[in-house]
Amino acid sequence: MELDAQRADYFAYYARSLALARRLPEACAAADEALSRDLQDARLLNMLGHVYMQAHAIASAVMAFERALARQESFAPFHFDLGYALAAQGEVKRAEQELEACIRLDPRHWAAHLSLSKLQRQTPESQHLERLQSLIRQHDRDLGAQIFLNMALGKEHEDLADYPQAFAHFARGKAAARSSRPASAERDKSMFDALVRAFPDRMESSREDGTAHAPIFIVGMPRTGTTLLDRILSSHPQVYSAGELQNFSTVLQRASGSPVALLSTPDIAATTRHIDWKQLGEDYIESTRPGTDAAPRFTDNMPHNFLYAGFIARALPLARILCLRRDPLDTCLGNFRQLFRLESGFYDYSLDLLDTGRYYIQFDRLMRHWNEVLPGRLLEVSYESLVEDPETEIRRTLAFCDLPWDEACLHSENNAAPVNTPNAWQVRAPIYTSAVGRWRRYAPQLGELRALLEDAGITLAD
């Protein structure tokens, strides 16, 4: 870059490097510079689209993907990437067209089949069962096909209310994915043990005035309504949604100086003892700029930040932490039904239904610990209360965040902001209650899970 700052490709690679280091504002600036220099390489344009997606700059990502596709229209992955970005932007029809184009060019692009099934609710008149069933029979030895096509079939059978078939496909898809991954239950328990040991004492509550620019962390088990709450809060004129940021864990890891993942170390307290917490908080805020300057407050909607609640409380005394809690069986089923990023070890538990239950037990234990040692810093929000009595729960949540009431929060379906999450169409719908008690549709398949949770003292609905 220093030797030749006019090279568009140098800026593109620099943008990718910055994104990998989670320096996302700088990454976007470098990507903008690359595009302003009339970058022509389709592969690099597509790479910049991924940089923008990481930074939650969905409109810029769509533009970069479109430019890449204009230069190499017959390359299936480019259609897939554009389709995914369009879905995040709410352009369902265009997204469907791009995903179908991807499949026409490469029927073995397995992730495109799953994305297409999740793009909207399938109906008897409009679904992909025949194609999916044909492909899964043809490619019975292809691990990727068995993972993605089974998960797609599970989603479509569920939409068509064939729950035994849906569960059978979810189980097959997850078993295929688990076949290449190590068992996670003991590793996860060790991580939770280390976190509890790292925060043995109560921390003083910081509820003083002056909450302007204080972030709002929305945490919880995945698939429990975290995105819905984010959409509700970011409908408030004073709140900007920064999306699912990995920034806090990144700046914490960097500050710790640990050569291995911080949460995998047995003595987290010793590894973090030297950290300047005030500086870490400032580094986190700076890492979110300039996007989070758009409103006085912003949300960070990374669910797994529940693991970092103690560190957040130390680094950001004015931050508010909202934890979504949902029926335990619905929570475990929701995680089992979802195919998370296979490259991330955070989600290994979700590849087995009983491991998901074991993870939930540890999550519940950690949240009870955080409530004890972080008094006044964390508010638990019931998903069921949020959808069944929205105004009461939203008023309570806004008050905790020191935000005035605003009627727009009752109509999150009008929120035009992009949403980069599985089943994005669902969070653009008006608040609905039909997902409450979904586990009952699968009650015959959940007997062992139910026994596991009850034996651990988890209260379950009848």
Side-chain angles (χ1 to χ4, degrees):
M1 288 284 293
E2 291 174 358
L3 291 169
D4 188 353
Q6 297 308 308
R7 288 277 297 268
D9 56 339
Y10 288 3
F11 271 105
Y13 284 116
Y14 185 42
R16 183 181 67 171
S17 300
L18 289 165
L20 289 169
R22 307 307 301 172
R23 292 165 59 180
L24 295 176
E26 296 167 85
C28 285
D32 291 345
E33 290 288 348
L35 293 177
S36 73
R37 283 162 173 73
D38 195 28
L39 185 66
Q40 295 294 321
D41 187 297
R43 183 173 54 86
L44 294 182
L45 286 165
N46 187 261
M47 184 177 76
L48 293 183
H50 286 283
V51 169
Y52 286 125
M53 288 295 287
Q54 288 181 61
H56 202 57
I58 308 298
S60 295
V62 168
M63 177 267 296
F65 288 140
E66 287 175 335
R67 286 178 59 172
L69 196 54
R71 287 158 179 78
Q72 198 169 338
E73 192 172 354
S74 61
F75 190 51
F78 287 177
H79 287 278
F80 174 80
D81 291 336
L82 177 57
Y84 190 92
L86 288 167
Q89 195 163 258
E91 296 188 55
V92 174
K93 192 62 179 177
R94 284 187 64 200
E96 182 180 21
Q97 292 168 354
E98 294 301 333
L99 292 171
E100 286 287 9
C102 172
I103 291 168
R104 279 196 303 274
L105 290 165
D106 181 8
R108 297 180 61 174
H109 195 298
W110 309 126
H113 293 279
L114 179 56
S115 291
L116 189 61
S117 74
K118 295 195 300 185
L119 190 59
Q120 53 196 327
R121 186 180 298 280
Q122 306 301 312
T123 67
E125 298 75 32
S126 177
Q127 34 75 22
H128 313 92
L129 291 179
E130 185 176 346
R131 179 168 69 188
L132 292 168
Q133 289 162 348
S134 174
L135 285 167
I136 207 167
R137 286 193 299 269
Q138 293 173 44
H139 301 280
D140 59 340
R141 295 178 182 271
D142 186 312
L143 187 62
Q146 295 305 306
I147 295 170
F148 287 94
L149 298 183
N150 269 303
M151 296 305 292
L153 281 163
K155 162 65 167 61
E156 301 213 0
H157 278 295
E158 181 177 88
D159 286 348
L160 300 175
D162 187 348
Y163 302 117
Q165 277 283 10
F167 191 89
H169 283 293
F170 290 140
R172 289 174 200 148
K174 288 300 183 78
R178 192 169 187 248
S179 66
S180 62
R181 309 287 296 190
S184 65
E186 286 303 315
R187 182 192 69 202
D188 290 336
K189 185 178 184 303
S190 296
M191 175 184 68
F192 283 100
D193 288 344
L195 281 167
V196 170
R197 287 196 303 269
F199 293 87
D201 303 316
R202 286 165 64 95
M203 295 171 58
E204 291 300 317
S205 176
S206 297
R207 293 290 300 178
E208 63 262 35
D209 294 333
T211 54
H213 307 295
I216 301 168
F217 288 86
I218 301 174
V219 306
M221 286 280 286
R223 313 303 297 151
T224 55
T226 53
T227 302
L228 171 62
L229 184 57
D230 179 71
R231 300 287 288 179
I232 288 169
L233 290 182
S234 61
S235 298
H236 195 288
Q238 295 183 24
V239 181
Y240 168 81
S241 172
E244 296 187 3
L245 300 180
Q246 297 181 31
N247 299 40
F248 188 86
S249 59
T250 300
V251 296
L252 176 62
Q253 181 72 35
R254 190 176 297 140
S256 76
S258 175
V260 298
L262 176 63
L263 297 190
S264 70
T265 59
D267 194 345
I268 294 173
T271 309
T272 58
R273 192 167 290 133
H274 67 283
I275 290 179
D276 181 336
W277 295 104
K278 183 174 184 295
Q279 184 61 53
L280 189 145
E282 292 173 358
D283 291 345
Y284 165 77
I285 296 292
E286 183 60 30
S287 75
T288 70
R289 302 310 195 202
T292 54
D293 278 334
R297 306 288 296 281
F298 72 90
T299 57
D300 180 336
N301 182 32
M302 174 55 69
H304 269 97
N305 274 335
F306 74 80
L307 295 167
Y308 298 94
F311 305 110
I312 291 169
R314 284 177 177 168
L316 296 156
L318 298 180
R320 302 293 182 251
I321 305 172
L322 306 174
C323 180
L324 261 293
R325 298 299 299 260
R326 191 172 187 172
D327 176 276
L329 290 171
D330 274 341
T331 298
C332 293
L333 178 64
N335 278 251
F336 187 64
R337 291 166 56 251
Q338 178 64 41
L339 185 65
F340 298 106
R341 290 166 41 222
L342 291 174
E343 66 272 20
S344 172
F346 267 127
Y347 303 102
D348 283 352
Y349 67 86
S350 69
L351 302 179
D352 178 86
L353 183 62
L354 294 184
D355 278 352
T356 304
R358 296 181 184 103
Y359 193 92
Y360 180 88
I361 291 166
Q362 295 300 323
F363 161 76
D364 181 74
R365 168 196 173 203
L366 182 63
M367 293 315 304
R368 284 186 280 109
H369 181 71
W370 289 144
N371 277 306
E372 290 175 7
V373 301
L374 306 176
R377 298 300 310 276
L378 186 148
L379 178 71
E380 293 197 345
V381 179
S382 162
Y383 171 79
E384 288 78 14
S385 297
L386 184 63
V387 298
E388 290 170 355
D389 186 4
E391 183 169 343
T392 299
E393 197 69 2
I394 293 170
R395 283 185 181 274
R396 187 174 77 98
T397 304
L398 291 176
F400 177 79
C401 296
D402 297 300
L403 287 164
W405 169 252
D406 194 284
E407 194 77 16
C409 294
L410 286 175
H411 303 285
S412 59
E413 69 274 14
N414 297 329
N415 189 333
V419 51
N420 187 9
T421 188
N423 300 329
W425 62 273
Q426 291 179 328
V427 297
R428 289 197 173 90
I431 295 173
Y432 57 89
T433 61
S434 58
V436 173
R438 178 185 275 124
W439 67 267
R440 290 185 171 84
R441 303 168 189 170
Y442 296 94
Q445 291 83 19
L446 302 182
E448 287 185 89
L449 173 65
R450 188 180 188 98
L452 175 73
L453 295 174
E454 287 178 334
D455 286 348
I458 304 294
T459 302
L460 302 178
D462 295 329

